[in-house]
Amino acid sequence: MTEHSATTSAAAEPATARGEQTRQLILDTAMRLFRERGYAQTTMRAIATEAGVAVGNAYYYFASKEHLIQEFYSGSQAEHRNRSAQVLRRENDFAARLRGVLHAGIDVNAPYHSFAATFFKTAAEPTSPLSPFSAESSPAREASIALFREVLEGSTAKVDPELRRDLPELLWLAYMGVILYWVHDRSHDQTKTRTLVDGAVPLIDRLVGLSRLRVVRPVTREVIALIHALRH
Amino acid sequence: MTEHSATTSAAAEPATARGEQTRQLILDTAMRLFRERGYAQTTMRAIATEAGVAVGNAYYYFASKEHLIQEFYSGSQAEHRNRSAQVLRRENDFAARLRGVLHAGIDVNAPYHSFAATFFKTAAEPTSPLSPFSAESSPAREASIALFREVLEGSTAKVDPELRRDLPELLWLAYMGVILYWVHDRSHDQTKTRTLVDGAVPLIDRLVGLSRLRVVRPVTREVIALIHALRH
DNA sequence: GTCGTAGTTTGAACACGTTCAAGAAGGGTG
DNA sequence: CACCCTTCTTGAACGTGTTCAAACTACGAC
């Protein structure tokens, strides 16, 4: 499963109302137990029992235990967009918009911090479909990048036109960095991650502003060329 | 095991020559099988059988299957220091030294790229003792940071004195970033990671050089203050 | 030589994720 | 109503990581 993926016996999309209901029941039960006991301490048997179905039934709808988490992932992403929309409507300063969206991302995920670690563990594995870089999560990634495109485009920021095209992806990458820090953040209520955001945003803002200066321009070009060469 | 660590029934350090021998035999067998078949495809039973011992014996010396990998981790780190030493003796230009050490890091790990992903998966989990940020791998981390301190101190680079103290840690962090990219790098012979290093090093070099300029100084201070606030 | 103890080794047993062949429900078609 | 076919459900069985009580080994003390 690790070295060769692809064999994932794709779980079924429910085709009937009954199916949809069962799927939702299993998912809700799983999420509840994950929150109550943690991911590792929640067995598939426990989920099935609590949901009142057979173990195999869970595997009819979800290819694996980890795939149960992917659901929460896309759910939280939608919620992230919602909460960001408020800030984006209010602000038009680039730094304020970026800061708002980053904080919104933390807000949305905060309730799951305790088992986000487990999710992250899987996501970090390159062959995993849950990896934020994988083809399988490409739609989710694109949606997230689109959010940062909106941060930029709705703002008054003046940016090197060539950088403008790639900046949303870079901001998304920075967001991934924030998440990475957040996952490891053991401080109370993850306040340190807030500090990181509040400290990093002005720096990014200044950097982006500088990108247009004639002296810095060549460096900007260099960076852009590099990330183009590195993209998959 | 995920949410609450600590319970790790610590595996024994061999106290006799016989023990030392068995431990080494198990480790060698495991590493061979990992390379031959990949991590996931290698069962503890297979390791035990091939090594000619009982399954339980492997667990006497290694707390878990993943702990077998930690051994390779510290081994590769020693090898990284060795190989870096050659470059560090030859060069005294900061960029050249940094580039050399980063490439050495990739060289050393290249043979294990196929299953480094699995290792990384575990290392990414915050609660794991294998995490490069964990207390348990603190000695390894310190050793690695020391390597980057040598990169800096043996060089002719002029650096803001306040930054000088923290720069090695930042370089180590950049190295972690390179490794992160490398793990996900699917290009032939991971040539893209080489591109990343060759592209990023001049940028870092320029940035470090700028840190002393009167205009940039306040930003430098800001960055330093931020990373101090964020350190655990 | 016998005993005691620390160190080592064993393999059956356990828990959990996952699979799969068999069957049940549901509902359209004649 | 009888039939078929898709969709869904079941739970026993499998493979694998891990545990543990019991046994074995080595070796110094007496």
Side-chain angles (χ1 to χ4, degrees), chain B residues 181-200:
Chain B
Y181 186 87
W182 174 77
V183 165
H184 285 84
D185 190 352
R186 287 268 161 281
S187 66
H188 183 62
D189 279 342
Q190 294 88 53
T191 42
K192 282 193 168 185
T193 305
R194 306 293 182 166
T195 308
L196 169 60
V197 170
D198 293 341

Side-chain angles (χ1 to χ4, degrees), chain B residues 128-165:
Chain B
S128 163
L130 273 69
S131 163
F133 304 106
S134 78
E136 231 160 318
S137 57
S138 169
R141 181 174 61 250
E142 289 306 324
S144 192
I145 292 176
L147 187 57
F148 288 101
R149 188 168 300 117
E150 211 185 320
V151 165
L152 177 62
E153 286 177 359
S155 83
T156 54
K158 306 260 189 257
V159 185
D160 177 311
E162 200 152 342
L163 179 61
R164 186 171 272 273
R165 207 177 336 130

Side-chain angles (χ1 to χ4, degrees), chain A residues 110-133:
Chain A
Y112 311 100
H113 185 265
S114 62
F115 74 86
T118 310
F119 169 63
F120 194 77
K121 171 180 168 162
T122 308
E125 197 192 10
T127 56
S128 163
L130 272 69
S131 163
F133 305 106

Side-chain angles (χ1 to χ4, degrees), chain B residues 11-153:
Chain B
E13 284 291 302
T16 69
R18 175 167 64 125
E20 182 56 43
Q21 204 176 334
T22 307
R23 190 192 138 93
Q24 204 47 239
L25 173 63
I26 291 167
L27 187 56
D28 290 347
T29 309
M31 292 315 289
R32 178 169 61 79
L33 292 182
F34 287 165
R35 266 203 299 276
E36 281 174 15
R37 322 180 180 175
Y39 178 81
Q41 280 69 40
T42 305
T43 68
M44 288 302 280
R45 283 167 182 77
I47 295 170
T49 304
E50 288 266 319
V53 300
V55 164
N57 204 1
Y59 282 94
Y60 181 74
Y61 291 108
F62 302 94
S64 75
K65 188 182 175 188
E66 282 168 349
H67 275 74
L68 279 163
I69 302 187
Q70 193 160 28
E71 213 71 10
F72 133 79
Y73 183 47
S74 33
S76 92
Q77 208 152 33
E79 182 63 19
H80 187 194
R81 261 195 304 284
N82 280 348
R83 235 183 255 214
S84 296
Q86 297 176 18
V87 187
L88 295 180
R89 225 176 294 120
R90 214 172 39 236
E91 302 277 0
N92 65 352
D93 173 59
F94 173 72
R97 289 168 72 85
L98 179 57
R99 187 177 173 281
V101 169
L102 291 179
H103 276 299
I106 305 173
D107 292 341
V108 165
N109 291 302
Y112 311 99
H113 185 265
S114 61
F115 73 86
T118 310
F119 169 63
F120 195 77
K121 171 181 169 161
T122 307
E125 197 191 11
T127 56
S128 163
L130 273 69
S131 163
F133 304 106
S134 78
E136 231 160 318
S137 57
S138 169
R141 181 174 61 250
E142 289 306 324
S144 192
I145 292 176
L147 187 57
F148 288 101
R149 188 168 300 117
E150 211 185 320
V151 165
L152 177 62
E153 286 177 359

Side-chain angles (χ1 to χ4, degrees), chain A residues 14-55:
Chain A
T16 71
R18 174 169 63 123
E20 182 57 43
Q21 206 176 331
T22 307
R23 189 192 137 93
Q24 204 46 239
L25 174 63
I26 292 166
L27 187 56
D28 290 346
T29 308
M31 292 315 287
R32 179 169 61 79
L33 292 182
F34 286 166
R35 265 204 298 277
E36 282 174 16
R37 322 180 179 174
Y39 178 81
Q41 280 69 41
T42 305
T43 69
M44 289 301 281
R45 282 167 182 79
I47 295 171
T49 304
E50 288 266 319
V53 300
V55 164

